[in-house]
């Protein structure tokens, strides 16, 4: 009989993969994980009808590309515990915040890449990420660096804008979570999961399921950002809600 276990295509250190993974883990949806190799990920995914970016989920005949679509599919497959609030107005607000933090995710990546691409130790770590990888010989590294900068829009002006947007995102969390500890209503929802999964990349929570960046620029960034109500809230969401992995071998 064909194996019906869903397969999550991902990269271990990828902010949007962490969002999709967290949703599956939170719902206790048993799944397998396949790591794509950065650089050839587009071909790997396209060949399987999974779009061009991670995360993507193959479940039976369904091909679900993108973290928001994975959260929606997980909610449909396993409604409990819910990630979408039952109250209609709260649900609209939670989905609006999901879109807002998704958008911030691109700035989160710029903030991290901006520091790492400017530092020799950071560059070597980026070219040797945890998980499978293409060996990039030293002479090809400047080119890999240029491609990464272009792909993710990492230049001085964009990194400065990204720093400001990430600071705003932490302020938004502080303003919203003050009352109940959650961004919408009084329970964990897709808004909290998205904000914590994406911003957590800058903070390296101990519950993150894979080894995180450990080079000096990544550590410095973490130290610079780890204090304040916004970052503390992100770490608290990981402590309270980053449930055990539902991955099966
Ligand atoms: N909106 C997409 C964004 C996905 C995304 O940007 N994924 C990155 C990794 S965090 C990726 O696959 N990058 C490779 C590429 O852009 O070619 C989602 O929510 O899944």
């Amino acid at each position: 009989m064909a194996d019906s276990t869903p397969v999550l295509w991902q990269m271990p250190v990828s902010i949007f993969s962490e969002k999709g993974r967290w949703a599956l883990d939170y719902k206790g949806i048993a799944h397998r994980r396949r790591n794509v190799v950065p650089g050839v990920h587009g071909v790997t995914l396209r060949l399987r009808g999974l779009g061009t970016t991670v995360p993507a989920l193959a479940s039976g005949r369904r091909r679900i590309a993108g973290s928001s679509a994975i959260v929606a599919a997980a909610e449909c497959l396993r409604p409990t515990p819910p990630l979408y609030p039952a109250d209609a107005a709260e649900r609209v607000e939670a989905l609006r915040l999901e879109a807002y933090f998704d958008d911030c995710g691109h700035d989160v990546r710029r903030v991290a890449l901006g520091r790492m691409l400017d530092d020799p130790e950071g560059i070597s770590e980026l070219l040797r990420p945890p998980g499978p990888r293409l060996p990039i010989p030293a002479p090809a590294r400047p080119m890999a660096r240029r491609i990464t900068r272009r792909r993710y829009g990492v230049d001085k002006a964009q990194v400065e804008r990204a720093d400001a947007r990430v600071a705003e995102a932490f302020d938004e969390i502080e303003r919203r979570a003050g009352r109940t500890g959650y961004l919408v209503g009084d329970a964990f929802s897709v808004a909290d999961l998205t904000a914590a999964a994406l911003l957590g990349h800058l903070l390296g929570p101990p519950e993150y399921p894979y080894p995180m960046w450990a080079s000096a620029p990544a550590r410095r960034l973490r130290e610079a950002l780890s204090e304040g109500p916004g970052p503390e809230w992100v770490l608290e969401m990981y402590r309270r809600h980053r449930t055990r992995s539902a991955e099966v071998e």
Side-chain angles (χ1 to χ4, degrees):
M1 212 167 71
D3 182 359
S4 60
T5 309
V7 178
L8 180 73
W9 292 81
Q10 63 152 19
M11 292 179 198
V13 185
S14 137
I15 54 178
F16 289 100
S17 294
E18 171 63 356
K19 180 184 157 194
R21 237 172 7 228
W22 190 341
L24 296 177
D25 291 343
Y26 187 69
K27 300 271 185 186
I29 296 174
H31 62 282
R32 297 185 204 289
R33 292 182 189 165
R34 296 280 175 274
N35 294 329
V36 297
V37 180
V40 290
H41 58 279
V43 178
T44 311
L45 295 169
R46 229 173 288 137
L47 282 175
R48 292 170 173 81
L50 290 166
T52 56
T53 57
V54 288
L57 189 73
S59 178
R61 288 172 186 276
R62 292 184 67 195
R63 298 291 174 266
I64 302 156
S67 61
S68 300
I70 292 172
V71 175
E75 186 75 5
C76 193
L77 186 69
R78 179 91 40 103
T80 308
L83 280 170
Y84 291 172
D87 176 83
E90 287 186 358
R91 191 160 59 244
V92 168
E93 186 57 2
L95 291 171
R96 190 189 69 75
L97 285 173
E98 180 189 26
Y100 166 76
F101 286 109
D102 274 352
D103 207 34
C104 277
H106 299 281
D107 289 308
V108 165
R109 203 159 44 197
R110 271 182 208 116
V111 166
L113 287 175
R115 270 50 174 205
M116 292 177 77
L117 287 168
D118 277 343
D119 181 290
E121 204 191 307
I123 296 168
S124 342
E125 187 172 39
L126 276 174
L127 297 179
R128 287 183 285 100
R133 60 191 182 262
L134 282 181
I136 302 182
R141 290 185 177 192
M143 194 177 71
R145 190 175 166 202
R146 271 200 303 280
I147 292 172
T148 308
R149 280 194 187 281
R150 206 170 320 125
R151 179 78 184 107
Y152 294 113
V154 184
D155 60 36
K156 191 165 175 291
Q158 299 210 69
V159 171
E160 276 173 17
R161 261 199 305 276
D163 284 346
R165 289 203 63 205
V166 164
E168 273 167 31
F170 280 128
D171 287 348
E172 178 73 8
I173 288 173
E174 183 181 344
R175 259 194 310 276
R176 289 185 157 266
R179 202 173 55 84
T180 66
Y182 294 102
L183 299 178
V184 179
D186 58 3
F188 188 68
S189 76
V190 63
D192 306 286
L193 184 150
T194 305
L198 301 183
L199 289 159
H201 188 77
L202 300 171
L203 306 172
E207 298 80 7
Y208 191 87
Y210 295 99
M212 265 288 205
W213 304 123
S215 58
R219 285 201 313 272
R220 275 198 297 273
L221 184 61
R222 226 170 274 157
E223 276 161 24
L225 286 176
S226 62
E227 275 173 28
E232 281 161 18
W233 176 90
V234 169
L235 296 172
E236 180 62 22
M237 287 300 104
Y238 262 90
R239 272 193 297 274
R240 276 195 223 163
H241 298 290
R242 187 67 183 93
T243 26
R244 260 183 329 118
S245 171
E247 179 185 15
V248 294
E249 295 303 322

